[in-house]
C-alpha cells in the first residue's frame, strides 16, 4: 500500500509499535485507546517483564528472538534511553521435561549460551531456593528484564513527536474492516486501513476471535523479601521454576522495581473490565507454587496482589493476520507478547507497506516460519 492513513486501535506495546513502524514509513497514523496513554489496564502495563531466547518446544519463537532484540535496540536508539537490564535467566527444573532438550538445541543453533550448573553450586548461590525436588539447574544467556511502564510512556512521547495523532480516553465502539472505519462516541473516522491491537478486548471488536483468543485473568504478587535475603534477591537473575506442580517465574527487585512472582497456568476466564486487585482465589494457586519454589515463603511480605489480563490461544500462538479488505488483526499476547511486541508491530507495518508478503505474516507471527 502506498502511504495513506492507518487507524490503530489499542495503545499497548503492539499498537504503539505498529504506529511507530507505520509513521516511520510515511503513513499518517491515528491511534485510539479506551483509557489513558499508557493505559494501566493494558496487558503491556507492568513494572518489569522477562525477555529471553529460551523457549522450550516453542522453538519458532526462540528463532524470532535475535530479530526481536534488533528491533528493541532500534527502539532504544530512537528513545535515547535503554529500558532493558541484561542478566541470565536461571531455570530450576523439578523433574524431567522436553523443555531442556529443545531449549539446548535452539540455543546452540543461535549461539546463545545454555549451561548446566551443579545443584550444590546453585543452592549456595541462590539461598532463597527450596532445593526439594530440584533435578537440574540451567543458566541461559540472552535474557533479562524489560521495564514496560517506562517503555510505554516513552513510546507514547516518541510517536506523538513523529506526528501520530493520539486519541486517549476514546473507547472504540466498533470497527468496519471492509470500509476501513473506526467509530467512537466522537463519531466515525475513515482510514485506508485499520489495525486492531486491542489485547483482552479484541473479541468485542472482531467477533471471529471469540473462543480463539480467550481473555485470561492472571495473578502476580509483588513482595518484600525477608531482610536476610534482600541482598541475595537484588543480585539474583531472573529465576524460573519448572515442574509439574510449580511453574513460577520470579523477577528480582532491580532499578526501582519490586520483587515479583507469577505463574504460567492460564485461567482462560474473566472479564478484562473487572477490578484488577488480586483476590484470595486469584493467588491461591500461585501462593502454593511459590511455597514449593522458595524457602520459607510465608516470611515474605505481600505488598500487592494484582490481576492482569492476556488473550490466550489454545497453543499460545499469536494471531496476526489480515481481516477483511482493509483490516489487520494484531493479537500478540498469550503471556509472552511483550518481548516480541515491537517485532510484531514492525512486521505488521512492513506488511502494510508492501515490504513483506501478507500471505506469510500469520505463519511468521505464530512462530511457524521454519
Amino acid at each position: 500500500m502506498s502511504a495513506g492513513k492507518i487507524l490503530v486501535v489499542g495503545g499497548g506495546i503492539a499498537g504503539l509499535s505498529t504506529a511507530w513502524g507505520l509513521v516511520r514509513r510515511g503513513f499518517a497514523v491515528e491511534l485510539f485507546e479506551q483509557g489513558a496513554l499508557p493505559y494501566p489496564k493494558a496487558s503491556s502495563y507492568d513494572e518489569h517483564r522477562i525477555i529471553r531466547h529460551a523457549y522450550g518446544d516453542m522453538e519458532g519463537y526462540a528463532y524470532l528472538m535475535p530479530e526481536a532484540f534488533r528491533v528493541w535496540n532500534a527502539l532504544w536508539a530512537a528513545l535515547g534511553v535503554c529500558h532493558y537490564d541484561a542478566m541470565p535467566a536461571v531455570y530450576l527444573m523439578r523433574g524431567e521435561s522436553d523443555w531442556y532438550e529443545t531449549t539446548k538445541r535452539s540455543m546452540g543453533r543461535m549461539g546463545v549460551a545454555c549451561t548446566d550448573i551443579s545443584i550444590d553450586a546453585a543452592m549456595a548461590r541462590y539461598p532463597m531456593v527450596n532445593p526439594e525436588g530440584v533435578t537440574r539447574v540451567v543458566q541461559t544467556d540472552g535474557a533479562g528484564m524489560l521495564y514496560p511502564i517506562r517503555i510505554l510512556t516513552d513510546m507514547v512521547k516518541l510517536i506523538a513527536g513523529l506526528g501520530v495523532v493520539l486519541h486517549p480516553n476514546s473507547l472504540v465502539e466498533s470497527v468496519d474492516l471492509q470500509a476501513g472505519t473506526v467509530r467512537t462516541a466522537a463519531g466515525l473516522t475513515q482510514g485506508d486501513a485499520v489495525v486492531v491491537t486491542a489485547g483482552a478486548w479484541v473479541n468485542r471488536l472482531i467477533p471471529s476471535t471469540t473462543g480463539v483468543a480467550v481473555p485470561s485473568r492472571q495473578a502476580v504478587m509483588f513482595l518484600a523479601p525477608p531482610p536476610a535475603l534482600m541482598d541475595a534477591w537484588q543480585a539474583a537473575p531472573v529465576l524460573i521454576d519448572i515442574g509439574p506442580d510449580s511453574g513460577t517465574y520470579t523477577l528480582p527487585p532491580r532499578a526501582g522495581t519490586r520483587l515479583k512472582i507469577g505463574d504460567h497456568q492460564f485461567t482462560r476466564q474473566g472479564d478484562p473490565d473487572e477490578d484488577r486487585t488480586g483476590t484470595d482465589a486469584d493467588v491461591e494457586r500461585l501462593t502454593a507454587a511459590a511455597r514449593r519454589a522458595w524457602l520459607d515463603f510465608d516470611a515474605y511480605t505481600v505488598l500487592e496482589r494484582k490481576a492482569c489480563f492476556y488473550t490466550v490461544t489454545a497453543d499460545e500462538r499469536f494471531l496476526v493476520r489480515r481481516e477483511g479488505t482493509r483490516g489487520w488483526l494484531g493479537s500478540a499476547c498469550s503471556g509472552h507478547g511483550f518481548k516480541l511486541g515491537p517485532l510484531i508491530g514492525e512486521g505488521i507495518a512492513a506488511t502494510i507497506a508492501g515490504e513483506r508478503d501478507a500471505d506469510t505474516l500469520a505463519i511468521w507471527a505464530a512462530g511457524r516460519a521454519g
Side-chain angles (χ1 to χ4, degrees):
M1 178 189 294
S2 59
K5 181 195 283 188
I6 312 296
L7 310 179
V8 178
V9 180
I13 188 64
L16 294 173
S17 298
T18 301
W20 180 51
L22 289 166
V23 74
R24 292 188 351 260
R25 289 170 168 83
F27 289 92
V29 182
E30 297 193 30
L31 183 144
F32 298 81
E33 173 53 67
Q34 63 180 324
L37 278 168
Y39 184 38
K41 283 192 172 183
S43 301
S44 311
Y45 196 87
D46 202 351
E47 289 187 16
H48 38 14
R49 290 282 178 88
I50 300 168
I51 188 167
R52 66 185 191 277
H53 282 76
Y55 254 98
D57 60 2
M58 299 181 76
E59 287 186 85
Y61 284 116
Y63 299 129
L64 288 179
M65 289 312 301
E67 191 177 355
F69 271 94
R70 286 194 289 272
V71 177
W72 279 114
N73 287 335
L75 179 61
W76 307 143
L79 295 178
V81 62
C82 178
H83 297 305
Y84 165 59
D85 194 353
M87 66 185 72
V90 173
Y91 295 81
L92 305 161
M93 303 185 67
R94 301 176 192 270
E96 294 303 314
S97 75
D98 294 339
W99 179 91
Y100 179 77
E101 293 301 332
T102 53
T103 295
K104 194 81 171 176
R105 178 173 62 209
S106 62
M107 299 287 273
R109 289 174 175 172
M110 292 184 290
V112 181
C114 178
T115 308
D116 280 59
I117 304 173
S118 76
I119 294 175
D120 287 345
M123 296 307 111
R125 192 179 304 174
Y126 308 120
M128 66 286 283
V129 172
N130 179 2
E132 183 178 352
V134 174
T135 55
R136 186 190 296 268
V137 181
V138 182
Q139 177 173 302
T140 64
D141 288 350
M145 297 195 308
L146 297 165
Y147 299 106
I149 294 174
R150 302 172 202 180
I151 292 168
L152 300 175
T153 301
D154 281 353
M155 287 188 75
V156 169
K157 294 186 289 185
L158 171 67
I159 65 173
L162 293 173
V164 173
V165 178
L166 302 176
H167 298 278
N169 303 303
S170 298
L171 177 67
V172 172
E173 299 170 354
S174 64
V175 296
D176 188 328
L177 304 183
Q178 301 294 334
T181 60
V182 167
R183 182 174 294 280
T184 67
L188 198 67
T189 303
Q190 178 71 57
D192 294 294
V194 177
V195 182
V196 178
T197 59
W201 293 268
V202 68
N203 300 160
R204 301 178 187 180
L205 297 176
I206 303 182
S208 65
T209 65
T210 302
V212 180
V214 179
S216 183
R217 183 179 175 93
Q218 303 300 129
V220 297
M221 291 191 291
F222 293 91
L223 310 165
L229 290 175
M230 180 61 77
D231 288 346
W233 271 117
Q234 289 182 333
V238 171
L239 289 165
I240 300 174
D241 203 271
I242 300 177
D245 298 314
S246 50
T248 61
Y249 58 88
T250 307
L251 287 82
R254 299 275 188 94
T257 63
R258 297 170 292 178
L259 177 65
K260 184 179 81 173
I261 186 168
D263 69 0
H264 194 68
Q265 299 297 316
F266 293 112
T267 68
R268 291 181 167 86
Q269 60 186 3
D271 182 333
D273 288 329
E274 293 170 347
D275 183 81
R276 298 304 180 88
T277 303
T279 65
D280 290 344
D282 285 327
V283 302
E284 181 179 7
R285 184 187 64 243
L286 175 58
T287 301
R291 287 175 177 146
R292 287 188 288 269
W294 311 122
L295 285 174
D296 198 16
F297 182 72
D298 290 332
Y300 289 66
T301 301
V302 178
L303 303 173
E304 183 182 4
R305 304 188 306 189
K306 180 180 176 181
C308 57
F309 271 84
Y310 304 132
T311 50
V312 183
T313 59
D315 58 1
E316 298 183 39
R317 305 282 176 169
F318 300 160
L319 294 178
V320 181
R321 65 194 185 206
R322 186 189 292 276
E323 288 281 330
T325 56
R326 294 192 179 189
W328 299 85
L329 166 64
S331 184
C333 199
S334 297
H336 60 113
F338 195 90
K339 63 183 70 65
L340 285 156
L343 176 61
I344 298 298
E346 178 71 7
I348 294 171
T351 305
I352 292 173
E355 298 171 14
R356 64 177 303 146
D357 181 12
D359 293 335
T360 61
L361 177 67
I363 297 171
W364 169 78
R368 303 185 190 279

